[in-house]
Amino acid sequence: MSTAGPNFPNLVPTARSMSPGDFASKVFRSQSGIEARVQYGNRAFNKTLDLEYSNINETDAAAIHDHYLACKGTLYYFGLPQNPKSGNSTFHQNDQTTNTLDRFSADPFGLRYRYAEPPQFNSVKEGRMSVTVKLIGVLDS
């Protein structure tokens, strides 16, 4: 059984935040207090990406809801289209460590995303909603 779901809806978020995750490692301490650290991989994991969609129409909110259901909640992982990662920010450019132009992109890191929790839907007025989506990056084998 595949654990890959459909790609996330191609919607532009009004706000987003990201945490780059960390590398798998283990710290060994001797009785004298000396530390040795061992890194177990060359890719970070547990990258988080929070997307906010303010005052969107109910059709777009329904697309996010339907995507969550298609991914069986937090079970399946999926790819992201360019829009949730796009923006007019220099944060996306000149990443010397990964040689990519987009730090929000999962592909160069071997990551896919899954829902960290169910999306939150708030009614703004008739026909308009605000949606908050919390995603977590998982290593794609």
Side-chain angles (χ1 to χ4, degrees):
M1 178 178 192
S2 172
T3 57
N7 276 348
F8 193 78
N10 196 17
L11 304 171
V12 179
T14 53
R16 63 188 184 269
S17 62
M18 188 263 298
S19 172
D22 201 1
F23 292 86
S25 63
K26 175 87 173 157
V27 178
F28 298 94
R29 289 188 181 89
S30 69
Q31 289 181 338
S32 64
I34 295 174
E35 268 188 14
R37 293 175 178 261
V38 176
Q39 181 178 334
Y40 288 107
N42 63 352
R43 295 186 288 178
F45 66 101
N46 281 344
K47 177 180 183 176
T48 61
L49 182 60
D50 298 344
L51 305 171
E52 293 181 31
Y53 299 90
S54 297
N55 202 22
I56 62 174
N57 64 49
E58 286 185 354
T59 304
D60 290 342
I64 294 171
H65 180 267
D66 293 345
H67 181 263
Y68 176 75
L69 294 179
C71 289
K72 306 294 186 217
T74 60
L75 182 62
Y76 291 174
Y77 62 86
F78 51 87
L80 288 178
Q82 188 61 34
N83 281 342
K85 302 172 287 187
S86 66
N88 249 349
S89 168
T90 58
F91 184 75
H92 300 278
Q93 299 171 3
N94 301 325
D95 184 354
Q96 302 299 322
T97 61
T98 60
N99 246 354
T100 183
L101 296 179
D102 191 349
R103 288 181 177 91
F104 286 96
S105 179
D107 294 333
F109 304 101
L111 290 175
R112 295 286 179 244
Y113 286 98
R114 68 173 174 78
Y115 287 93
E117 61 185 46
Q120 301 298 308
F121 298 88
N122 295 308
S123 179
V124 175
K125 64 178 186 175
E126 187 176 337
R128 306 302 287 181
M129 299 192 85
S130 290
V131 182
T132 303
V133 177
K134 295 181 183 284
L135 305 175
I136 189 163
V138 292
L139 289 173
D140 187 13
S141 55

